Amino acid sequence: MTGRPAVLRGVAAGVLATLLAGCGVLPALPDAVPSDVVPSRPSGFGSPSADGELSPDGFDAVQRMAVRIRNVGCGSLSTGSGFAIDEHTLITNRHVVADSQSLEVSTYDGRDLAVSAASTARLADLAVVRTQDPLPSHPRIAEDDPEQGDEVSVVGYPEGGELTITAGSIVDSTTDPLNENLGEVLVTDAPVEPGSSGSAALDAEGRVIGVVYAKTSDGHSLLVPRSTLQEMLADSGAFTALPPCS
């Protein structure tokens, strides 16, 4: 799984991947999370389930771990996605939380969670958000990075709307065109849209194999691999406190 895939051949000529959520104009946010949210499911692909456990309203563990993030900035408003890695910790993208005056986190069932702190990575497009209130569920992180051809699903809130699952596969890996110090990132054809940034990319067993952070000009998306995520989480100096917007 080496070499630069065809989907990114324009990168070397200066055509970079289009960032989601943090860049560009987003559609107006809905007034509130719908109370009757039903996850959409990809055709021909079973919804991944970390433990096969369903909540009373029919959502499985990997659906319950996804959150929608509203970034209320100084004169701006944007939306993104994130996912829990423990009871009080979320992972999302740096550009989802950047230039924030306040962050609003809501769960699959419409509950708003209070945010206690946020920090961003120096090298990768990653951020850690701590919540005061407990998160409903968190998945396992896979032991290995996926290989080309492996199935992948993305669980998040595209366009700031309903909880959505899209499916695809790992197309290849490539040198990160946006963060030159990051190294290799994964390329997938699982559909993503503005608002999908920060979504978990999951394998067929519901384990996290990457974090969505950008979309290429021809519709593929880029993932920070789970190995990079774990390496940075283990480094106490990898993240710094998120400064407020001014």
Side-chain angles (χ1 to χ4, degrees):
M1 189 167 62
T2 59
R4 188 177 300 271
V7 295
L8 290 177
R9 56 181 175 269
V11 170
V15 182
L16 295 181
T18 303
L19 280 176
L20 303 176
C23 298
V25 178
L26 293 172
L29 293 175
D31 293 335
V33 179
S35 60
D36 58 348
V37 170
V38 177
S40 62
R41 299 179 186 274
S43 176
F45 189 86
S47 173
S49 177
D51 297 307
E53 298 176 356
L54 295 180
S55 59
D57 50 8
F59 288 78
D60 69 19
V62 297
Q63 294 162 343
R64 298 197 304 271
M65 61 84 185
V67 300
R68 185 173 67 171
I69 301 174
R70 289 189 183 98
N71 180 339
V72 181
C74 297
S76 65
L77 186 67
S78 62
T79 185
S81 301
F83 62 95
I85 57 171
D86 64 37
E87 192 174 29
H88 293 279
T89 306
L90 296 172
I91 298 297
T92 187
N93 290 154
R94 179 175 57 197
H95 75 264
V96 168
V97 301
D99 302 318
S100 172
Q101 186 176 47
S102 66
L103 296 174
E104 300 174 354
V105 173
S106 56
T107 62
Y108 77 101
D109 54 359
R111 292 187 298 113
D112 293 325
L113 304 182
V115 172
S116 59
S119 56
T120 57
R122 292 179 290 106
L123 298 181
D125 192 352
L126 292 174
V128 173
V129 177
R130 311 286 185 184
T131 63
Q132 295 179 13
D133 305 308
L135 293 153
S137 175
H138 55 88
R140 292 176 293 151
I141 298 178
E143 296 179 359
D144 301 300
D145 287 341
E147 298 182 356
Q148 185 175 357
D150 285 354
E151 293 179 328
V152 61
S153 59
V154 173
V155 184
Y157 293 86
E159 308 287 358
E162 72 175 21
L163 177 61
T164 300
I165 303 172
T166 60
S169 63
I170 299 298
V171 175
D172 213 326
S173 66
T174 187
T175 301
D176 183 13
L178 301 176
N179 305 278
E180 61 182 16
N181 294 323
L182 177 56
E184 290 292 297
V185 295
L186 302 173
V187 184
T188 178
D189 57 7
V192 297
E193 298 296 338
S196 296
S197 283
S199 296
L202 307 167
D203 65 15
E205 297 181 27
R207 300 173 301 182
V208 175
I209 52 88
V211 185
V212 175
Y213 76 98
K215 183 177 181 178
T216 66
S217 58
D218 55 1
H220 289 69
S221 53
L222 303 178
L223 309 176
V224 178
R226 52 139 301 274
S227 55
T228 300
L229 171 62
Q230 288 193 309
E231 181 180 346
M232 300 192 76
L233 289 173
D235 180 0
S236 60
F239 294 84
T240 58
L242 177 69
C245 63
S246 58

